[in-house]
Amino acid sequence: LDFEFPDEHVNEVDGDEKESAGVWEMYFDGAVNLSGNGIGAVLVSPDGKHFPIAIKLRFDGTNNIAEYEACVMGLQAAIEIKVRKLEVYGDSALIIYQVKGEWQTKDLKLIPYQKYLSKLIKKFE
């Protein structure tokens, strides 16, 4: 193992602007595989503190359902801690474009998720 980190002196990039604006960040992801289904999100405060959340799902579903579950769980956590300004990042183009209204939600299993997320995002500036 190599324990030398050549960039260990780099702590933060571009942090001052977001800190003054009070903007939080949320990163979410879902996974489905033979070992089971899981979701995770990380909330990052304006001062750089990280709040990770991970959950093993106890039901079967598609990868898209896991992605939606992860986003929902992250938004619910942000609402619980009274976050007002939030930037959300995920690797699922499907979820992002459906929630933004740029793509239609055709899968009947995903329509309730899309509607619920649209309701949740109204709680943020």
Side-chain angles (χ1 to χ4, degrees):
L1 297 174
D2 185 6
F3 291 105
E4 292 190 30
F5 300 102
D7 296 328
E8 65 186 6
H9 63 283
V10 177
N11 293 321
E12 186 172 17
V13 178
D14 245 4
D16 293 336
E17 183 179 318
K18 284 190 181 176
E19 185 173 340
S20 64
V23 178
W24 286 64
E25 294 177 351
M26 182 187 90
Y27 299 86
F28 71 92
D29 198 10
V32 174
N33 59 41
L34 294 175
S35 300
N37 306 339
I39 59 175
V42 177
L43 292 169
V44 182
S45 70
D47 63 355
K49 293 183 177 127
H50 289 65
F51 301 90
I53 308 158
I55 297 174
K56 181 174 174 102
L57 299 177
R58 302 183 121 204
F59 61 89
D60 290 331
T62 65
N63 193 50
N64 290 330
I65 288 174
E67 294 282 347
Y68 264 114
E69 286 280 346
C71 189
V72 164
M73 183 259 317
L75 290 179
Q76 288 173 331
I79 290 167
E80 186 73 25
I81 61 173
K82 306 206 182 329
V83 171
R84 296 299 305 145
K85 296 180 182 181
L86 182 68
E87 292 180 358
V88 178
Y89 300 94
D91 65 352
S92 174
L94 180 88
I95 280 41
I96 293 166
Y97 288 122
Q98 285 179 347
V99 172
K100 288 172 72 176
E102 295 178 22
W103 290 359
Q104 289 183 349
T105 307
K106 296 180 181 178
D107 185 338
L108 294 177
K109 293 177 184 174
L110 300 182
I111 291 173
Y113 284 107
Q114 190 272 332
K115 286 181 180 178
Y116 186 58
L117 273 184
S118 295
K119 190 169 119 177
L120 287 178
I121 61 176
K122 291 178 183 172
K123 297 183 185 244
F124 301 95
E125 292 180 18

